[in-house]
Amino acid sequence: MVIPMLDLDGYLGKSGEQVKAANYKAHERLFALCFQINRFCQIFKYELTVDENDHYGIVATLLFFKLHDTYQTVVLLYLYGLDSQARILNRSMLEGLWVLKSLYYQPEETFQLLMEDEYYKKLNLLHDIKNNRDYFYEYITKNKLLNIDSEISKLEAKMKSVGIKKVRKINVKEMALNTYSDEEYYYIYKLLCRDVHVDTGQLTDYFITDEKGKITGFRPYPSTNNIEEILLTTAELILKAVIFLSKILNIDKKSEIKYYINQIQKF
């Protein structure tokens, strides 16, 4: 199928909607399944009840909401033919899923790590501003927008009040391996990292070449490369998120999950 070049507004213009309709028609069965799984997740989301004192359950539920939003975004991006951007978000889904799984396998340790990671980010930013006496630091101090030393003291006091003695950054690889996600990390995650970082191999996707391989221009139109592999992977990831949130909250969704997994495996 030949997709015409987008107009001056690109994906934000009328032609973007035409591309969306054409892509859906070309992969209707696949998108229909993604929509069905989305509706299942949407209903599941609104059925959730969490005790206000269940800190692990609350964090896990909020994380599922974020993962579900990301799932919907990946599907939308492929509808518009933004394949590379969809793969980038698939990588984010993997990272979020590993945290959710870790909340099931090691709830106390994971909850603690999430707090330590949050304070790590905040303290690291303040120390960077303080130690790199650049124009940004001068602007902040001259305009009295922020007292860096005071903010650091406040954070350290807050850490002490909640029992945090150290700060550390979440290690994605460690999180994956500790949740028995070795294959997801070494095969899926590693491949998806190419889209996140500047990779000259990926940039060649934007070339137009002739039969001899000579570059004749740049690709101005959308692409649905690897659409089946990526969307089916995305669907599996969100279903795994339902599985682990169900385990954390003691919800039984085994029959529904089994049905949708079977639908994925039929492709």
Side-chain angles (χ1 to χ4, degrees):
M1 178 183 63
V2 178
I3 301 177
M5 179 177 176
L6 294 180
D7 58 19
L8 293 177
D9 292 320
Y11 291 97
L12 304 182
K14 292 181 179 179
S15 294
E17 292 302 313
Q18 294 171 1
V19 169
K20 178 181 174 182
N23 282 339
Y24 183 87
K25 185 176 180 180
H27 306 280
E28 187 169 357
R29 180 166 164 257
L30 178 60
F31 280 118
L33 176 59
C34 290
F35 280 34
Q36 288 173 19
I37 292 173
N38 177 64
R39 179 166 291 185
F40 162 65
C41 292
Q42 197 76 1
I43 294 170
F44 172 74
K45 187 167 63 176
Y46 289 113
E47 289 177 344
L48 294 173
T49 56
V50 188
D51 189 290
E52 62 180 10
N53 297 313
D54 181 6
H55 302 306
Y56 307 143
I58 290 172
V59 173
T61 301
L62 294 174
L63 183 53
F64 176 78
F65 273 56
K66 177 178 174 62
L67 287 170
H68 184 222
D69 284 351
T70 307
Y71 168 79
Q72 293 182 76
T73 306
V74 172
V75 176
L76 285 171
L77 286 172
Y78 256 114
L79 276 170
Y80 283 99
L82 290 161
D83 55 345
S84 179
Q85 291 70 25
R87 291 193 294 268
I88 289 172
L89 287 183
N90 235 18
R91 177 181 182 262
S92 298
M93 280 194 71
L94 275 169
E95 292 179 357
L97 177 62
W98 294 334
V99 175
L100 183 57
K101 290 171 73 173
S102 189
L103 279 167
Y104 170 72
Y105 288 117
Q106 299 175 312
E108 186 176 346
E109 295 87 341
T110 305
F111 188 79
Q112 182 72 16
L113 173 57
L114 290 173
M115 289 196 297
E116 291 170 355
D117 177 77
E118 183 64 24
Y119 281 102
Y120 167 85
K121 292 171 183 173
K122 292 177 180 177
L123 282 173
N124 195 50
L125 175 60
L126 290 172
H127 282 297
D128 278 347
I129 296 171
K130 179 180 179 180
N131 297 329
N132 298 311
R133 302 294 179 112
D134 54 15
Y135 295 113
F136 184 48
Y137 176 82
E138 291 179 9
Y139 176 79
I140 288 175
T141 52
K142 285 181 179 179
N143 291 279
K144 298 180 179 180
L145 298 177
L146 192 68
N147 185 317
I148 303 298
D149 290 323
S150 174
E151 291 301 316
I152 290 174
S153 296
K154 288 179 184 177
L155 275 177
E156 290 175 341
K158 180 64 176 177
M159 286 170 53
K160 186 176 182 181
S161 70
V162 295
I164 296 178
K165 299 179 180 179
K166 61 178 180 179
V167 292
R168 53 177 172 155
K169 186 179 180 181
I170 289 177
N171 184 307
V172 174
K173 180 179 180 180
E174 181 181 306
M175 185 74 73
L177 301 186
N178 286 345
T179 56
Y180 314 101
S181 307
D182 305 45
E183 290 187 6
E184 289 177 348
Y185 178 79
Y186 286 113
Y187 296 102
I188 303 174
Y189 187 79
K190 290 288 188 179
L191 287 173
L192 295 173
C193 282
R194 293 187 63 192
D195 286 281
V196 177
H197 307 295
V198 177
D199 186 304
T200 54
Q202 296 286 53
L203 293 179
T204 58
D205 291 342
Y206 290 91
F207 286 146
I208 298 174
T209 57
D210 59 20
E211 294 178 355
K212 296 180 180 180
K214 181 181 178 181
I215 298 173
T216 59
F218 299 103
R219 176 169 66 84
Y221 43 80
S223 167
T224 52
N225 286 338
N226 308 116
I227 183 171
E228 188 169 305
E229 293 88 341
I230 297 300
L231 285 187
L232 291 180
T233 297
T234 306
E236 285 187 356
L237 295 180
I238 196 62
L239 289 175
K240 286 180 180 179
V242 173
I243 290 171
F244 280 92
L245 180 58
S246 297
K247 289 182 176 181
I248 292 170
L249 300 180
N250 294 314
I251 300 171
D252 184 10
K253 290 291 179 181
K254 293 186 180 67
S255 60
E256 293 95 327
I257 293 293
K258 184 179 180 180
Y259 169 78
Y260 287 114
I261 291 294
N262 287 335
Q263 295 303 306
I264 291 173
Q265 292 174 345
K266 287 180 181 179
F267 269 85

